[in-house]
Amino acid sequence: MSDALTYIMGQEDPESYNLQTHAAGPEGSLPLTSDMLIQWPSGDLFGLSQNVGMGWKPDRLNGKQVLILSTQGGLRAEDGTPIALGYHTGHWEVGLLTKEAALEITKLGGVPFAGYISDPCDGRSQGTVGMFDSLPYRNDAAMVYRRLVRSLPTRSGVIGIATCDKGLPATMIALAGIQDLPGIIVPGGVTLPPTNGEDAAKIQTIGARYAQGQISLQEAADMGCRTCATPGGGCQFLGTAATAQVVAEALGMSLPHSALAPSGQELWKNIARQSARSIYWMQSKGIRMSDILTDAAIQNAMVVHAAFGGSTNLLLHIPAVAHAAKCHVPDVADWNRINKAVPRLVSVLPNGPEYHPTVRVFMAGGVPEVMLHLRKLGLLDESVKTVAGENLGVLLDWWESSERRHHIRRHLKETDGINPDDVIMSPAKAKSRGLSSTVTFPVGNIAPEGSVIKSTAIDPEVVGEDGVYRHTGRAKVFTTEKSAVKAIKDGHIVEGDIMVLIGRGPSGTGMEETYQLTSSLKYLPFGKYVTLLTDARFSGVSTGACIGHIGPEALAGGPIGKLRDGDLIEVKIDLHRLEGSLNFIGQDEERFNPEEGAIILAMRDSHPELKPDPRLPDDTRLWAALQAASGGTWRGSVYDVDRIIEVLNAGHKYLQQVETGEVKDGG
């Protein structure tokens, strides 16, 4: 035997060759009736055989079947010891939620089913080719989830369990699309911060800080070891994962006070049991997802997003949920209107002013506590239905006087010494503390379709007394994130620069996150004096004068792709009026107004180094083309099937005309 076969095949026990070739099968009989045999499709009948074949007792087959879909990743032993690691803590413990929900369904006389679609970690893929699959994964996972729902024709309801940046939006989109069924989201919660150490956002900057001599090798190693203080849940900051949990609850898709619960603890597990009971209640009352997800529910979610100061990535995900639910898809004008009307009330990582971890937001009352303030301002539609079996107004009445609310808020004060009203503030207190609204949508000759900045996260030291951030500086243009990061680490970026990263939108990289850049700027002493412009997007934890989603993207002919090193750029962000502009206003020693700058950019060729990343996978290229045909990122990067078919048919007709000579190719 060769060395390879000796090593691979190993020493086998000859007893293992004595294989069993038939078995008696499960005891008992299927609870069949004559009507079932005559009326049921063969698939439903065979499904019963499969169920008992997997060990389900025949006399318990007639209960309502509930499908539990989760993002479970990795393989845990019963004591939690890893047998095979998952991609991230956010899906490491959600199997425990699946178990609790399944046991509760069984207790209620039902038949639970479970399916899994694991999800990637945006933190793990930062700065790697894995980021090229991050946003496209969301659409793919939502499609597979819907296929799994349809592939169990006997299900009577669906429970979705997810935690993080793309898995949870995918689950929301999938459930939004199953309009005729009851459905509910169980958020996977958050991991705890270390008693002494750094949160999962700041720890991602250890490379840049070490390169700048701010921390030692040993400090980086020690802090990196304990940043995820507990094994499950999403990161400790209000990034995309935490914001998605908040939005799921604000939509009415999750139970009250379920977003941001600490993973692995008993209250967290109980949310899964309560959600199983909710599905049964919805079934009995005929409540479906189409009753929950309405235009009013979408607007409530946008209001709560603004009050929390949530991740700008939800500008991609909320429209996608609305599209799947056949609701009005919010546009820039809707986001602008809501952000101008809604005060930010939550003090949390990464926005501040006090950098509380997300578990403290949960302890301060979470989503329903914020909603209590918002309804006093008349900003919520309280008539919307929720998965709690009551409309929002009744739910908030319950929360206000609940034992749970008063006990948990008191516990935060007694254990951490934190006043819950300093975490979730009243509008008056928030105003006195200087909390400003969340996002601004700058336009200009660089961004004619618009852009996004989390304006609330600009360092106050660089904002004028009139509430306006102003920066006029020379551009330093990069076509790869790697080269931009290298420039920062090598000291080639200095105070006053305007970094421009182009070709990193959907067509270039799948619209990668550029958290390596934003985090480095945040934690470097001169970073607050640098502005970043890009057609890529940012991690939900990004802060600073970082402007993304610039449209059109460079590879679609956008003006941002025509900028050159040394171009003079003027940036203005009004934090009070939530208005902003990005304009090219000079080259060399020449100065001109924005209108003249637009003409010059239109006459320029694209940057000579601008091109799609050569490592971009075909799967992502296809996603980019489909979402572009569907309206692009400002419609949520969705697949609008009718629009895609229309475009394909038009293209097919054109090609036929070319082949027959009716038109010339390119004419």
Side-chain angles (χ1 to χ4, degrees):
M1 184 182 293
S2 70
D3 291 344
L5 287 175
T6 299
Y7 173 72
I8 293 169
M9 301 304 291
Q11 185 66 41
E12 294 181 328
D13 181 359
E15 284 297 316
S16 68
Y17 304 149
N18 298 324
L19 303 174
Q20 183 177 337
T21 58
H22 55 83
E27 295 183 359
S29 301
L30 299 180
L32 297 175
T33 65
S34 175
D35 183 66
M36 291 164 65
L37 289 170
I38 293 172
Q39 299 294 333
W40 282 22
S42 63
D44 288 356
L45 293 170
F46 180 58
L48 298 177
S49 298
Q50 293 263 33
N51 296 347
V52 295
M54 288 183 279
W56 204 258
K57 299 300 181 184
D59 59 359
R60 292 166 48 209
L61 283 172
N62 286 333
K64 292 180 179 179
Q65 298 181 5
V66 177
L67 176 58
I68 308 169
L69 294 173
S70 84
T71 55
Q72 173 69 43
L75 185 62
R76 302 168 68 257
E78 282 298 314
D79 64 357
T81 302
I83 297 172
L85 291 171
Y87 286 37
H88 55 96
T89 60
H91 65 212
W92 178 247
E93 288 188 329
V94 296
L96 300 175
L97 294 173
T98 299
K99 179 179 179 180
E100 295 299 327
L103 290 173
E104 188 68 18
I105 291 165
T106 303
K107 181 179 175 182
L108 294 168
V111 182
F113 287 76
Y116 310 93
I117 302 176
S118 192
D119 57 345
C121 174
D122 281 3
R124 187 181 291 273
S125 60
Q126 290 292 338
T128 76
V129 294
M131 184 52 69
F132 298 168
D133 290 290
S134 171
L135 182 55
Y137 160 90
R138 185 204 66 179
N139 287 12
D140 295 344
M143 289 172 62
V144 176
Y145 272 133
R146 288 193 294 266
R147 291 188 189 280
L148 288 177
V149 171
R150 294 190 294 267
S151 297
L152 186 67
T154 49
R155 75 283 183 264
S156 61
V158 182
I159 298 174
I161 304 175
T163 307
C164 282
D165 294 34
K166 302 306 177 299
L168 182 48
T171 307
M172 288 193 285
I173 293 167
L175 265 63
I178 56 168
Q179 297 189 309
D180 293 332
L181 284 173
I184 192 169
I185 296 287
V186 182
V190 298
T191 188
L192 297 184
T195 304
N196 296 296
E198 296 183 348
D199 66 87
K202 188 173 184 179
I203 206 67
Q204 293 182 51
T205 69
I206 53 177
R209 286 185 287 152
Y210 176 74
Q212 293 286 328
Q214 293 187 13
I215 57 174
S216 68
L217 177 62
Q218 191 60 51
E219 286 172 329
D222 290 346
M223 291 186 297
C225 185
R226 58 178 176 265
T227 192
C228 297
T230 50
C235 295
Q236 307 104 329
F237 47 82
L238 191 72
T240 307
T243 307
Q245 294 184 38
V246 165
V247 164
E249 187 175 331
L251 285 166
M253 298 179 78
S254 298
L255 290 177
H257 201 226
S258 59
L260 314 181
S263 180
Q265 300 189 42
E266 189 58 33
L267 181 62
W268 173 83
K269 293 179 183 178
N270 196 37
I271 294 168
R273 297 189 287 267
Q274 293 165 338
S275 297
R277 295 197 292 273
S278 171
I279 280 288
Y280 265 73
W281 181 268
M282 294 173 72
Q283 290 169 343
S284 69
K285 301 299 180 183
I287 301 173
R288 306 171 302 169
M289 290 312 300
S290 58
D291 299 315
I292 305 294
L293 291 174
T294 61
D295 287 346
I298 298 295
Q299 175 147 314
N300 280 351
M302 295 169 70
V303 168
V304 173
H305 174 272
F308 266 80
S311 164
T312 55
N313 276 319
L314 271 294
L315 274 68
L316 293 166
H317 302 319
I318 290 178
V321 172
H323 175 265
K326 297 181 171 28
C327 295
H328 167 71
V329 177
D331 56 22
V332 173
D334 295 316
W335 286 106
N336 230 337
R337 169 177 53 82
I338 286 173
N339 275 276
K340 286 182 176 182
V342 179
R344 182 166 65 96
L345 304 176
V346 182
S347 182
V348 62
L349 282 164
N351 300 333
E354 298 297 329
Y355 299 113
H356 297 292
T358 43
V359 68
R360 287 183 182 167
V361 179
F362 179 80
M363 298 294 290
V367 173
E369 193 69 25
V370 172
M371 283 183 157
L372 288 180
H373 293 297
L374 294 173
R375 81 162 170 178
K376 290 178 183 177
L377 298 173
L379 293 171
L380 294 174
D381 187 328
E382 297 181 54
S383 69
V384 296
K385 293 182 179 179
T386 74
V387 295
E390 298 286 358
N391 65 32
L392 180 59
V394 173
L395 185 153
L396 293 178
D397 289 340
W398 163 79
W399 173 255
E400 192 165 21
S401 59
S402 69
E403 178 186 356
R404 174 171 175 163
R405 176 192 181 220
H406 295 296
H407 184 95
I408 286 181
R409 282 168 56 84
R410 183 173 64 248
H411 189 64
L412 176 62
K413 183 72 175 288
E414 293 173 349
T415 57
D416 284 11
I418 301 296
N419 182 349
D421 293 330
D422 288 336
V423 181
I424 297 175
M425 303 181 193
S426 68
K429 188 170 190 176
K431 185 176 182 180
S432 71
R433 293 296 306 277
L435 273 70
S436 57
S437 295
T438 314
V439 294
T440 300
F441 302 90
V443 294
N445 63 28
I446 295 173
E449 287 184 357
S451 61
V452 176
I453 180 172
K454 189 187 286 187
S455 47
T456 188
I458 299 176
D459 193 305
E461 290 187 19
V462 296
V463 177
E465 292 183 2
D466 58 354
V468 179
Y469 171 78
R470 297 177 177 86
H471 184 185
T472 299
R474 297 288 180 178
K476 289 184 177 177
V477 181
F478 303 90
T479 57
T480 69
E481 185 187 23
K482 183 177 181 180
S483 62
V485 171
K486 186 175 188 299
I488 292 175
K489 290 185 175 181
D490 290 350
H492 294 153
I493 299 298
V494 298
E495 179 178 323
D497 285 343
I498 293 184
M499 298 185 69
V500 181
L501 178 63
I502 63 175
R504 314 314 280 179
S507 301
T509 65
M511 203 178 189
E512 66 182 357
E513 281 187 353
T514 55
Y515 180 63
Q516 282 193 113
L517 294 175
T518 60
S519 62
S520 296
L521 293 174
K522 176 180 174 63
Y523 292 107
L524 295 177
F526 61 85
K528 69 181 74 173
Y529 303 106
V530 175
T531 298
L532 172 64
L533 311 181
T534 182
D535 53 4
R537 61 194 175 91
F538 301 127
S539 165
V541 73
S542 294
T543 62
C546 304
I547 302 169
H549 296 227
I550 290 177
E553 63 171 313
L555 284 163
I560 189 176
K562 299 181 178 183
L563 294 175
R564 300 289 193 275
D565 285 346
D567 283 344
L568 191 65
I569 294 174
E570 178 187 67
V571 177
K572 292 182 181 178
I573 309 294
D574 190 323
L575 277 68
H576 295 324
R577 297 170 61 87
L578 297 184
E579 297 172 352
S581 60
L582 310 175
N583 286 304
F584 163 60
I585 61 166
Q587 56 186 355
D588 300 323
E589 300 306 314
E590 183 184 4
R591 301 289 182 274
F592 32 77
N593 62 38
E595 291 73 21
E596 293 168 332
I599 295 171
I600 294 171
L601 286 176
M603 296 174 62
R604 278 187 181 179
D605 293 331
S606 293
H607 193 286
E609 297 177 17
L610 178 65
K611 60 183 178 181
D613 194 292
R615 301 164 297 176
L616 193 67
D618 286 346
D619 301 321
T620 300
R621 292 176 59 216
L622 177 60
W623 165 84
L626 293 176
Q627 65 88 38
S630 304
T633 56
W634 288 103
R635 290 199 77 240
S637 294
V638 299
Y639 294 160
D640 184 332
V641 176
D642 291 336
R643 176 63 177 163
I644 291 169
I645 291 173
E646 181 183 356
V647 171
L648 289 174
N649 286 339
H652 182 62
K653 182 178 179 180
Y654 172 78
L655 291 176
Q656 285 183 321
Q657 291 174 332
V658 170
E659 291 170 359
T660 59
E662 294 179 53
V663 298
K664 293 183 178 180
D665 191 12

